[in-house]
Amino acid sequence: MGGFRAVEDRPTPKEVYNWRLYTEASIIATGSLLFGYDSAFIGTTIARASFKTDFNIDPKTSADTSSNITSAFQAGAFFGAIFCFLLTEKIGRKWALQANVVVFLVGAILMTASTGHLSHIYAGRILTGIACGAITATVPSYIAELSIVSIRGILTGLFEVAYQTGSLIGFWINYGINQHMDPTSSISWRVPMAVQIIPAGILFIGGFFLHESPLWLMRKNREEDATTALESLRNLPRDHTYLQEDLQMIRSRLSEEAAVAAKYGTGPWAFFRGALAELSRKGMWNRVVLVLCAFTLQNMSGAAAINYYSPTLFGSLGISDVSLYTGIYGLVKAVASIIFYGALIDVWGRRNPTIISSIACSLCLWIVGVYVKIGHPADIIAAGDKLSSSTAAGGKAATAMIMIYSVFWSFGLNGIPWIVAAEIFPGALRNLTGTYAALCQWAMQLVITKALPYIFKSFGYGTWFFFACWMLLASLWSFFFLPETKGRTLDEIDVIFGYVHDRALSTDDLAKSGDKAHAIEHSEEHL
């Protein structure tokens, strides 16, 4: 049996597949929807004439302003991920999540209510960024720590589903506003700003009904509270064998963490120092570098650029109804992502999809760049002229290439970096390495979102070639340096990366004695 009722190699009582577990995972995953919505709505919103008029944005400085507004979110997210690591250790995942939702709400309300002061927009973007950075560093691990092993990959996959749902809402909200609202009215930019308050409010209210992570409770020596939480989440009595096995796996995980910290003492600071020492060893530091490279290439793929600056990029193709085509782009990307990460990720693996995806995406972007170079559609439209039939036909072909790009990107660098980052490190280090992965993501996204308006202004049609070159580099990198991690035990991964030091058998390997259980467990933190 698979899907939401996948069976483990150990006896799996039917009671563990219960509404409370599914509901709590869905509530927590809503945090990803906030991030997805932001990636889709902000570019079109701040490009509206009403926004530029209300905030007195000079056309000569609009590129600077757009860059600053967009990148303020990523800057906040970078520090939010760091802040969350420290806060979670202190107050737990539940209340850390709630605290960051409050920060998000304050930022969203500040932007919605702003009356012509860009400082309010900047402050709101930084606050929502801090919150989203913290939330994205919290949600996958939180769901994984509440879930049972057999469906952990599927439940943490709700993070990606929620992200794509938020992205879809953001794209189509802007399309609806363009169709039914006066573009010169302030309400045309206030409404998309206000919409993000709705899912944040749902997450805040739902957060009060969540259980705290049993792992965090056990780490704080609150075994009784952890047992009570597992009783409710598993719908089993505390003396049931299955629940006792869950508790034992948590104890084993904590023993691994203690072993990492042993050289430096006890407590969070000792663990942090021990983890850094472990990550600097031969066979570990190359994993750290691989994660950095993966997230760098992910953000240089052009996908985030299309999300945040869709009016500029689609406009360069000669498309006038930008909001419609960004909505279609978001729909195609969402459907492809959900299909791949819901059904194919543990069939196709990690390495080959990344290679194929990167080559195909590069080809698509080269074709688009050639069209923009030869046809100059944006210049023709800006001059008030009509596109020739051949240029218009080329525009349709270029638009199709963007849609094909979105399909191939969805099963490559879209989520593979998150999965690989979760698979290649031992369980005892994943609290730290998960935060590191989030920092890599936000740092590189900050760089590209800050730079893109200037890249586009300087390169013009060459912007498409710029991203095509990066995708070509990604295909070479994945061919030579990205190992296949699907179905690998931690010991096998150690051999791949040249780790030759002694380490006790991890709880990952204890829990995954069979191939099927192993594949499920190793999907636990994908996005």
Side-chain angles (χ1 to χ4, degrees), residues 4 8 35 85 107 147 189 260 271 305 308 318 326 344 382 410 515:
F4 283 95
E8 302 170 61
F35 171 35
F85 178 74
S147 177
W189 65 262
V260 169
F271 171 75
Y308 281 106
T326 53
L344 300 175
S410 295
D515 291 341

Side-chain angles (χ1 to χ4, degrees), residues 10-38:
R10 57 173 172 162
T12 309
K14 67 181 188 306
E15 289 84 0
V16 302
Y17 307 105
N18 59 79
W19 67 270
R20 181 177 291 281
L21 176 60
Y22 300 142
T23 301
E24 292 195 24
S26 299
I27 291 171
I28 297 167
T30 305
S32 177
L33 190 148
L34 305 179
F35 171 35
Y37 180 79
D38 179 88

Side-chain angles (χ1 to χ4, degrees), residues 12 68 79 115 142 237 267 358 414 419 430 476 495:
T12 309
N68 291 337
F79 291 102
T115 54
Y142 193 0
S358 299
N414 175 25
I419 297 172
R430 284 183 188 163
L476 294 173
V495 172

Side-chain angles (χ1 to χ4, degrees), residues 497-509:
F497 285 96
Y499 184 89
V500 295
H501 308 281
D502 292 333
R503 179 171 55 237
L505 186 64
S506 77
T507 51
D508 284 338
D509 290 327

Side-chain angles (χ1 to χ4, degrees), residues 146-222:
L146 296 186
S147 177
I148 61 174
V149 172
S150 61
I151 58 172
R152 190 172 293 164
I154 292 175
L155 292 187
T156 53
L158 293 175
F159 182 92
E160 176 69 20
V161 173
Y163 171 84
Q164 297 297 343
T165 301
S167 178
L168 271 179
I169 293 171
F171 283 132
W172 288 103
I173 281 285
N174 275 319
Y175 175 72
I177 288 171
N178 287 351
Q179 294 297 310
H180 302 291
M181 289 186 180
D182 182 358
T184 63
S185 171
S186 296
I187 197 171
S188 66
W189 65 262
R190 290 190 193 276
V191 167
M193 293 282 189
V195 166
Q196 58 190 328
I197 297 173
I198 299 172
I202 293 173
L203 178 56
F204 179 72
I205 294 170
F208 288 104
F209 300 94
L210 299 175
H211 285 90
E212 181 54 85
S213 160
L215 175 63
W216 182 83
L217 291 170
M218 292 279 279
R219 189 178 286 128
K220 296 300 179 180
N221 298 314
R222 294 168 55 182

Side-chain angles (χ1 to χ4, degrees), residues 47-368:
R48 284 200 171 90
S50 59
F51 184 87
K52 294 179 179 179
T53 300
D54 287 354
F55 291 94
N56 299 312
I57 298 175
D58 189 330
K60 295 179 181 179
T61 61
S62 61
D64 290 334
T65 303
S66 175
S67 171
N68 291 337
I69 291 173
T70 305
S71 60
F73 180 90
Q74 277 73 31
F78 178 83
F79 291 102
I82 298 174
F83 174 70
C84 182
F85 178 74
L86 303 173
L87 183 65
T88 300
E89 178 60 33
K90 187 71 174 176
I91 66 174
R93 296 205 182 277
K94 173 178 178 176
W95 295 112
L97 181 63
Q98 288 291 75
N100 284 293
V101 174
V102 171
V103 172
F104 185 94
L105 285 167
V106 171
I109 292 170
L110 185 61
M111 288 188 290
T112 304
S114 180
T115 54
H117 297 286
L118 270 177
S119 59
H120 294 168
I121 300 296
Y122 288 134
R125 292 287 292 167
I126 291 171
L127 288 174
T128 54
I130 289 172
C132 279
I135 288 170
T136 55
T138 299
V139 168
S141 296
Y142 193 0
I143 294 175
E145 289 167 12
L146 296 186
S147 177
I148 61 174
V149 172
S150 61
I151 58 172
R152 190 172 293 164
I154 292 175
L155 292 187
T156 53
L158 293 175
F159 182 92
E160 176 69 20
V161 173
Y163 171 84
Q164 297 297 343
T165 301
S167 178
L168 271 179
I169 293 171
F171 283 132
W172 288 103
I173 281 285
N174 275 319
Y175 175 72
I177 288 171
N178 287 351
Q179 294 297 310
H180 302 291
M181 289 186 180
D182 182 358
T184 63
S185 171
S186 296
I187 197 171
S188 66
W189 65 262
R190 290 190 193 276
V191 167
M193 293 282 189
V195 166
Q196 58 190 328
I197 297 173
I198 299 172
I202 293 173
L203 178 56
F204 179 72
I205 294 170
F208 288 104
F209 300 94
L210 299 175
H211 285 90
E212 181 54 85
S213 160
L215 175 63
W216 182 83
L217 291 170
M218 292 279 279
R219 189 178 286 128
K220 296 300 179 180
N221 298 314
R222 294 168 55 182
E223 184 162 338
E224 176 60 29
D225 291 335
T227 304
T228 301
L230 282 173
E231 280 186 294
S232 180
L233 289 165
R234 302 292 180 262
N235 196 27
L236 294 172
R238 63 179 53 206
D239 58 353
H240 194 283
T241 302
Y242 188 94
L243 193 146
Q244 289 299 317
E245 289 173 348
D246 272 2
L247 286 171
Q248 185 54 46
M249 280 193 281
I250 294 174
R251 293 188 190 102
S252 298
R253 166 74 174 268
L254 294 177
S255 295
E256 294 171 20
E257 293 180 4
V260 169
K263 183 178 177 180
Y264 300 95
T266 59
W269 178 239
F271 171 75
F272 180 75
R273 294 176 65 193
L276 290 183
E278 178 71 9
L279 291 171
S280 67
R281 301 171 82 174
K282 181 182 177 181
M284 279 292 178
W285 67 265
N286 49 350
R287 307 184 206 199
V288 174
V289 173
L290 183 139
V291 170
L292 175 61
C293 291
F295 281 102
T296 298
L297 293 169
Q298 180 199 63
N299 282 283
M300 301 306 290
S301 66
I306 295 174
N307 276 358
Y308 281 106
Y309 296 101
S310 54
T312 301
L313 294 174
F314 276 106
S316 74
L317 300 179
I319 293 173
S320 55
D321 195 350
V322 170
S323 60
L324 173 61
Y325 281 90
T326 53
I328 295 172
Y329 167 80
L331 179 62
V332 172
K333 183 161 65 76
V335 172
S337 296
I338 291 170
I339 290 174
F340 179 68
Y341 294 103
L344 300 175
I345 181 61
D346 282 329
V347 176
W348 290 358
R350 287 76 167 123
R351 182 175 180 270
N352 287 336
T354 305
I355 296 171
I356 296 170
S357 165
S358 299
I359 293 173
C361 287
S362 181
L363 290 174
C364 289
L365 294 176
W366 282 112
I367 293 171
V368 172

Side-chain angles (χ1 to χ4, degrees), residues 382-527:
D385 298 329
K386 186 177 180 180
L387 296 177
S388 67
S389 58
S390 60
T391 303
K396 292 178 181 178
T399 303
M401 288 298 103
I402 292 293
M403 302 306 166
I404 294 171
Y405 164 92
S406 71
V407 172
F408 278 98
W409 184 79
S410 295
F411 67 78
L413 289 170
N414 175 25
I416 294 295
W418 293 102
I419 297 172
V420 171
E423 289 178 331
I424 62 177
F425 294 104
L429 299 178
R430 284 183 188 163
N431 276 354
L432 184 60
T433 58
T435 300
Y436 168 70
L439 291 177
C440 290
Q441 154 71 14
W442 290 116
M444 297 314 303
Q445 195 169 113
L446 170 61
V447 170
I448 192 61
T449 53
K450 178 63 179 172
L452 188 67
Y454 308 106
I455 292 174
F456 195 82
K457 190 174 182 179
S458 300
F459 292 0
Y461 69 87
T463 303
W464 300 99
F465 295 155
F466 173 78
F467 288 121
C469 288
W470 276 101
M471 291 306 293
L472 188 59
L473 178 62
S475 64
L476 294 173
W477 171 81
S478 53
F479 181 82
F480 288 106
F481 299 108
L482 181 64
E484 180 55 71
T485 56
K486 178 182 77 74
R488 302 285 189 180
T489 66
L490 185 57
D491 286 340
E492 290 171 332
I493 289 175
D494 284 344
V495 172
I496 290 173
F497 285 96
Y499 184 89
V500 295
H501 308 281
D502 292 333
R503 179 171 55 237
L505 186 64
S506 77
T507 51
D508 284 338
D509 290 327
L510 290 171
K512 295 174 284 185
S513 56
D515 291 341
K516 177 181 178 181
H518 177 274
I520 294 170
E521 173 75 0
H522 271 27
S523 298
E524 71 180 28
E525 292 193 29
H526 102 66
L527 237 153

